[in-house]
């Protein structure tokens, strides 16, 4: 890559998760000009899935979808001079790099493949299935500076797929914090693919349906000073506006300091401006030295899980639920090995005088967990099936319970930077050690900024859903969830920042009672970010609640009613 060039770097994204749209790589390569194409395949749950794959086959552990996509598109990328950077290496980046080399040789393409390693700390965490440090972007940068066409990584931060190419292209030093922070936030917007172009967007109803059917994947034009423009290829579906970018900036973040291994980006410094149709400029981003430790995601097998959903139809729903619950409780208590953790939830989907049987029915979910598979398999299956002719009228279940499936638990731990031997393995086999940051700073919480004056007292209000004035996006970080809430006018912000306190948040979402809830204020985005600690238990793989990744927690909040000034409605 050419160093110190004033030309912006066009970085696209073709995957937001393992299983994303297969054709996206081809669409991005053929839809317009690109310099680098990234693919994000990893999440906490993905690392667990890949860990289980590796137990069966030591040569596995990477996202095989990426290799199949590349079989169709490697020639296109080579022809167009587009470099590919991906974390699809998962638990085995060296294995995927070898597979890409074999593919290139078979296709007759002179492609230089490098990879990044050093994130795997499983050996230092006994009992873990996979323990991986979140590395930064300078290993990727080293590979690209030495001429790699394809760079495969394991567990790097999602934003590193953008900061690495940008640092290589512009020659940024590890202490160019403002520039790196700008690239981190651009990378954070790109990492979830079409969530930046209208996918999963709170105000989707304001757009014509045809625009939402197949959103195009996003790209960022990164400039030498770290500013960026988020956009998409012309003619693709979806849309990019300040709302879609705001939503993604709030996704799976916490306070004003967004920490990573290369830099801590200040979310409270971000300025967003329209830069033309489907173009949003991100500038003003300030960066600080990274924290002194690296985050390590540790996945362990937690035991076995099973569930059964009883269908309750028609009259006396509560009484039917009480009967079968009492019967199952007695049966499980008498079983040879009963499950250690038993949870019930009655989901009232029924309606009175319903025109169809399905609309007349509610679901009573029973979820059990135990270290012993027999306790969640045989015990639950026997107890549920034996009630078929001996319980409430209309007894049936959605599906008979099976043997029980293993579930994982996730936790974050932190280690010094030097504990992960960050290494760039170049296309010619040379190994380049990536030095840890020289300067670090302890991650202190930013004090809440001054708030604007609240709306004048005495204004007329109307009881209405919060979502009539506010957007939201929510997600998971281990056992915690975040809910980012934003509004689109200064007047709405004056109301929201005073109205939606932690106490009001808990009132609107009673599941958060008893849990620690932290509120972070981001005035430049007209946004509040709430972090709810422990609501997801041991993480997504444990399936602790109905919505195990908190993807719809924000939409539940938007559906809750409160007194809203009529002027905002």
């Amino acid at each position: 890559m050419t160093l110190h060039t004033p030309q912006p770097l066009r970085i696209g994204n073709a995957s937001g998760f393992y299983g994303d749209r297969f054709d996206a790589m081809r669409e991005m390569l053929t839809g317009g000009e690109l310099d680098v194409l990234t693919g994000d395949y990893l999440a906490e749950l993905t690392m667990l899935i890949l860990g289980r794959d590796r137990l069966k086959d030591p040569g596995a552990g990477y996202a095989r979808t990426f290799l199949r996509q590349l079989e169709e598109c490697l020639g296109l990328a080579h022809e167009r001079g587009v470099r590919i950077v991906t974390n699809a290496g998962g638990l085995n980046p060296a294995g995927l790099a070898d597979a890409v080399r074999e593919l290139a040789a078979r296709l007759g393409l002179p492609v230089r493949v490098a990879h990044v390693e050093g994130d795997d700390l499983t050996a230092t965490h006994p009992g873990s299935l996979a323990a991986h440090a979140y590395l930064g972007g300078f290993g990727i940068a080293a590979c690209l500076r030495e001429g790699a066409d394809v760079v495969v990584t394991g567990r790097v931060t999602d934003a590193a797929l953008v900061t690495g190419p940008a640092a290589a292209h512009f020659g940024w030093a590890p202490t160019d914090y403002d520039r790196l922070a700008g690239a981190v936030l651009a990378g954070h917007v790109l990492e979830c693919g079409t969530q930046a172009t209208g996918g999963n967007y709170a105000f989707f109803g304001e757009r014509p349906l045809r625009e939402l059917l197949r959103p195009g994947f996003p790209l960022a034009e990164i400039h030498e000073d770290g500013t960026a423009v988020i956009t998409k290829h012309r003619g693709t579906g979806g849309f990019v506006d300040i709302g879609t970018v705001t939503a993604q900036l709030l996704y799976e973040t916490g306070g004003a300091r967004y920490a990573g291994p290369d830099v801590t980006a200040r979310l409270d410094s971000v300025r967003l401006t329209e830069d033309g149709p489907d173009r949003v400029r991100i500038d003003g981003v300030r960066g600080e030295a990274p924290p002194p430790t690296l985050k390590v995601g540790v996945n362990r097998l937690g035991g076995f899980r099973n569930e059964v959903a009883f269908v309750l139809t028609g009259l006396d729903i509560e009484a039917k639920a009480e009967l079968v619950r009492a019967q199952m409780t007695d049966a499980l208590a008498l079983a040879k090995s009963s499950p250690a953790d038993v949870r019930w939830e009655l989901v009232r989907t029924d309606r009175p005088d319903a025109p169809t049987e399905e609309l007349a029915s509610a679901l009573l979910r029973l979820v059990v967990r135990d270290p012993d598979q027999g306790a969640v398999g045989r015990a639950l299956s026997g107890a549920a099936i034996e009630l078929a002719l001996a319980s409430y009228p209309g007894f049936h279940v959605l599906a008979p319970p099976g043997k029980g499936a293993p579930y994982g638990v996730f936790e974050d731990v932190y280690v010094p930077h030097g504990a992960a031997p960050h290494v760039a393995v170049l296309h010619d086999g040379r190994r380049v050690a990536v030095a840890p940051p020289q300067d670090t700073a302890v991650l202190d919480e930013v004090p809440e900024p001054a708030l604007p004056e609240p709306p004048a007292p005495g204004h007329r209000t109307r009881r209405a859903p919060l979502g009539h004035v506010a957007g939201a996006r929510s997600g998971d970080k281990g056992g915690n969830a975040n809910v980012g809430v934003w509004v689109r006018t200064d007047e709405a912000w004056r109301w929201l920042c005073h109205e939606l306190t932690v106490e009001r948040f808990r009132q609107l979402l009673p599941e958060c009672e008893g849990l620690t809830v932290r509120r972070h204020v981001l005035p430049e985005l007209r946004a509040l970010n709430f972090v709810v600690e422990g609501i997801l238990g041991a993480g997504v793989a444990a399936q602790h609640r109905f919505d195990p990744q908190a993807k719809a927690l924000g939409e539940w909040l938007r559906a809750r009613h409160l007194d809203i000034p009529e002027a905002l409605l």
Side-chain angles (χ1 to χ4, degrees):
M1 283 192 171
T2 306
L3 302 184
H4 304 291
T5 172
Q7 293 297 315
L9 182 69
R10 290 174 62 87
I11 303 179
N13 169 281
S15 176
F17 67 100
Y18 191 10
D20 210 343
R21 199 157 81 214
F22 188 87
D23 294 338
M25 186 180 291
R26 176 176 290 277
E27 291 169 13
M28 290 302 289
L29 288 170
T30 59
E33 293 298 316
L34 282 180
D35 299 302
V36 177
L37 183 59
T38 66
D40 178 12
Y41 292 78
L42 300 185
E44 293 164 2
L45 181 60
T46 317
M47 299 298 280
L48 179 68
I49 292 168
L50 295 176
R52 291 176 60 190
D53 287 348
R54 191 171 58 173
L55 285 178
K56 301 172 188 173
D57 176 6
Y62 55 79
R64 297 184 183 276
T65 307
F66 169 76
L67 201 59
R68 296 201 303 272
Q69 290 172 299
L70 209 60
E71 187 157 6
E72 292 185 7
C73 297
L74 187 58
L76 264 176
H78 179 68
E79 174 189 317
R80 292 168 181 254
V82 178
R83 297 186 174 186
I84 294 176
V85 178
T86 180
N87 61 16
L91 278 58
N92 188 6
L96 179 55
D98 286 341
V100 174
R101 291 187 190 98
E102 292 171 9
L103 173 63
R106 179 158 54 83
L107 298 176
L109 298 170
V111 173
R112 293 164 294 194
V113 183
H115 74 274
V116 176
E117 60 184 40
D119 60 299
D120 190 349
L121 301 182
T122 307
T124 64
H125 292 79
S128 66
L129 186 61
H132 291 256
Y134 288 71
L135 302 179
F138 279 96
I140 295 169
C143 294
L144 293 171
R145 277 196 297 263
E146 294 296 324
D149 301 302
V150 178
V151 181
V152 171
T153 77
R155 180 72 278 189
V156 296
T157 65
D158 301 336
L161 303 177
V162 171
T163 58
H169 184 72
F170 297 116
W172 292 341
T175 52
D176 284 329
Y177 295 135
D178 289 349
R179 293 176 170 88
L180 288 166
V184 161
L185 294 190
H188 183 63
V189 173
L190 293 190
E191 70 181 59
C192 286
T194 53
Q195 278 196 170
T197 57
N200 300 354
Y201 182 54
F203 298 115
F204 76 99
E206 298 175 359
R207 295 281 177 160
L209 181 61
R210 65 180 182 278
E211 200 174 63
L212 305 171
L213 294 179
R214 191 178 174 87
F217 277 69
L219 63 93
E221 298 169 357
I222 311 286
H223 293 261
E224 195 276 338
D225 64 355
T227 62
V229 173
I230 306 299
T231 184
K232 64 186 185 69
H233 286 325
R234 272 187 194 168
T236 57
F239 58 96
V240 177
D241 64 16
I242 286 177
T244 66
V245 174
T246 299
Q248 190 54 30
L249 283 173
L250 295 173
Y251 182 64
E252 295 181 347
T253 57
R257 286 190 164 101
Y258 182 55
D262 296 323
V263 65
T264 294
R266 290 292 295 263
L267 281 168
D268 56 349
S269 66
V270 179
R271 290 194 304 264
L272 302 180
T273 53
E274 299 283 358
D275 193 54
D278 292 317
R279 293 175 62 84
V280 173
R281 181 174 297 277
I282 302 176
D283 64 10
V285 184
R286 299 198 312 274
E288 300 170 343
T293 55
L294 284 176
K295 174 181 168 181
V296 179
V298 181
N299 285 279
R300 294 186 173 90
L301 290 177
F304 295 87
R305 178 187 182 279
N306 207 352
E307 72 172 272
V308 60
F310 300 92
V311 182
L312 315 174
T313 304
L315 305 178
D316 306 320
I317 296 294
E318 300 283 349
K320 289 171 180 174
E322 183 181 8
L323 171 59
V324 73
R325 180 169 178 169
Q327 289 176 311
M328 288 295 296
T329 299
D330 283 350
L332 290 175
L334 294 172
K336 185 176 181 180
S337 55
S338 58
D341 182 38
V342 178
R343 297 176 186 234
W344 292 90
E345 184 172 13
L346 177 59
V347 185
R348 294 299 301 265
T349 52
D350 56 302
R351 302 181 192 177
D353 196 20
T356 68
E357 183 177 337
E358 189 168 1
L359 290 176
S361 300
L363 295 178
L364 179 65
R365 293 179 67 238
L366 168 60
V367 178
V368 297
R369 293 183 179 84
D370 197 273
D372 175 22
Q373 188 173 17
V376 302
R378 292 186 300 275
L380 182 67
S381 297
I385 298 306
E386 288 172 5
L387 288 178
L389 303 179
S391 189
Y392 60 86
F395 180 99
H396 66 287
V397 297
L398 287 184
K403 296 179 179 179
Y407 71 89
V409 297
F410 177 89
E411 65 173 326
D412 295 338
V413 299
Y414 292 85
V415 299
H417 281 266
H422 194 173
V423 176
V425 183
L426 306 182
H427 63 277
D428 57 9
R430 285 179 292 146
R431 300 175 63 85
V432 177
V434 179
Q438 293 183 343
D439 300 319
T440 61
V442 175
L443 202 65
D444 293 325
E445 200 162 291
V446 176
E448 183 168 296
L451 301 178
E453 288 294 318
H459 53 261
R460 296 183 59 172
T461 63
R462 189 193 319 158
R463 197 78 177 165
L466 175 62
H468 283 186
V469 295
R473 180 165 286 167
S474 55
D476 63 309
K477 280 293 180 186
N480 302 338
N482 93 289
V483 184
V485 185
W486 82 96
V487 289
R488 297 182 286 185
T489 67
D490 290 338
E491 281 303 302
W493 172 240
R494 288 175 62 198
W495 171 78
L496 181 76
C497 66
H498 292 282
E499 175 67 23
L500 197 56
T501 61
V502 168
E503 181 181 5
R504 180 55 56 86
F505 182 90
R506 282 203 182 99
Q507 290 171 356
L508 295 173
L509 302 187
E511 285 186 33
C512 300
E513 281 296 332
L515 300 175
T516 298
V517 178
R518 303 185 189 280
R519 184 180 100 147
H520 304 281
V521 180
L522 302 170
E524 291 289 341
L525 297 175
R526 299 193 195 98
L528 303 171
N529 206 0
F530 294 88
V531 177
V532 186
E533 298 182 5
I535 192 171
L536 302 180
V540 55
Q543 296 192 6
H544 179 73
R545 64 189 297 273
F546 168 68
D547 174 18
Q549 289 181 280
K551 298 297 186 184
L553 197 60
E555 286 301 294
W556 179 28
L557 178 66
R558 292 182 71 236
R560 296 308 309 268
H561 290 222
L562 66 172
D563 295 324
I564 300 175
E566 285 193 350
L568 301 181
L569 295 168

